[in-house]
Amino acid sequence: MGIFENFDQTTWILFGLLIAAVIAYYFWPESTKAQAEVRPDEDTRKKARALIAVAADDVDKSLFDLSHLPLRVKAGAKLKSAIESGEKLDPQEVREALWVQQRAMITRLESEIDYAQQADVSENFGIAAPANQPASLLEKTLKELEETEKKIRSLLKVPADRQLWYGRALVLMMSNRRLFDHVAWLTGAGLAASAPGAFVVSEDDIVMISIYATRLGGFSRPLTLQVARAAILGVGGPATPKWL
């Protein structure tokens, strides 16, 4: 029997629990490790294309600009001028105009990191992830993000008619640390900002959140933190310490 001959009943119970925990780690749905990397071959490209929402054709695309180094979406001159002059813009038009550039950013990232992407949207968030992740994960995460936004708005006492940011905050989900670090470099956030595994880039009221996790259940908590940071930066404006 070797080492097992000295096991008493309590030790056997603890040993059994350990084995059960190891099995649960690999087979429990919410703890499943991310699937293998996928290349943007034709099959995954077709799968991903159908999930990337298309913006309305008649929106004014010049409201936002996409810079390439660093890779960020920024408010365009026309949008800034309209805000300064007090012109009222249709929130839906602004949201769709921003999505045009966010969608272009997703496509640019796809070619840069060699990943076929999928994306889905809700009222306040757009989310992009590799095409090998289940679409149900995007839907679940979007629902949780919208609930988080409502809670943060309530805690900060932000009126319903005041936006926390323009259009949709863009969330990039990564299941590979190398790709996550590369996105941090592309967006100018730097590796120091990406060290914790998630970071937010908030500039001109346009929010992008990049997050890395190897487990399907590992996105919720760090995403909540980054959404809260983006909201606080938006409400507090320039006076808010950037380290926050």
Side-chain angles (χ1 to χ4, degrees):
M1 292 286 289
I3 62 172
F4 297 106
E5 64 185 7
N6 296 321
F7 278 22
D8 57 19
Q9 184 178 7
T10 302
T11 305
W12 275 111
I13 292 174
L14 293 174
F15 183 71
L17 290 173
L18 175 63
I19 297 299
V22 171
I23 293 173
Y25 177 86
Y26 284 100
F27 294 103
W28 192 257
E30 287 297 322
S31 300
T32 305
K33 288 186 175 180
Q35 300 173 29
E37 228 177 279
V38 289
R39 300 289 177 177
D41 56 39
E42 190 57 30
D43 289 339
T44 46
R45 176 65 271 164
K46 288 177 180 178
K47 175 184 175 183
R49 183 182 293 117
L51 290 170
I52 299 182
V54 179
D57 293 329
D58 57 347
V59 298
D60 187 349
K61 300 176 177 61
S62 66
L63 291 176
F64 296 91
D65 298 321
L66 177 63
S67 63
H68 292 285
L69 278 177
L71 183 62
R72 295 188 186 184
V73 179
K74 298 183 179 181
K78 185 174 180 178
L79 177 60
K80 291 180 179 179
S81 175
I83 293 171
E84 290 173 359
S85 65
E87 180 184 348
K88 295 292 185 180
L89 297 172
D90 180 5
Q92 180 63 21
E93 182 181 354
V94 173
R95 184 181 292 112
E96 291 302 307
L98 176 57
W99 180 244
V100 169
Q101 300 298 354
Q102 290 173 327
R103 193 174 187 274
M105 184 179 186
I106 294 170
T107 305
R108 161 74 194 280
L109 281 170
E110 178 182 77
S111 63
E112 182 74 29
I113 64 181
D114 206 22
Y115 238 58
Q117 298 284 333
Q118 60 177 322
D120 202 354
V121 297
S122 62
E123 183 177 0
N124 296 294
F125 298 92
I127 189 168
N132 65 330
Q133 297 292 340
S136 59
L137 174 63
L138 276 69
E139 295 169 3
K140 176 177 180 291
T141 305
L142 280 173
K143 183 177 179 180
E144 291 175 350
L145 284 169
E146 289 293 343
E147 291 173 354
T148 298
E149 191 269 349
K150 290 178 183 177
K151 291 177 182 177
I152 291 172
R153 182 181 287 276
S154 175
L155 285 170
L156 296 178
K157 295 181 171 57
V158 179
D161 60 348
R162 180 179 175 184
Q163 292 181 293
L164 293 176
W165 45 70
Y166 289 133
R168 302 181 180 98
L170 178 61
V171 178
L172 303 174
M173 302 173 73
M174 299 288 167
S175 54
N176 180 296
R177 183 74 206 201
R178 177 180 60 82
L179 299 179
F180 175 77
D181 288 342
H182 190 56
V183 169
W185 175 80
L186 277 174
T187 56
L191 296 183
S194 67
F199 64 88
V200 59
V201 173
S202 183
E203 187 175 281
D204 291 335
D205 291 329
I206 297 161
V207 174
M208 188 209 75
I209 300 171
S210 184
I211 183 168
Y212 156 76
T214 57
R215 295 156 64 91
L216 296 185
F219 290 102
S220 297
R221 188 171 179 180
L223 257 181
T224 297
L225 173 62
Q226 300 307 323
V227 171
R229 289 185 68 219
I232 291 170
L233 287 170
V235 171
T240 307
K242 291 300 180 184
W243 56 261
L244 186 61

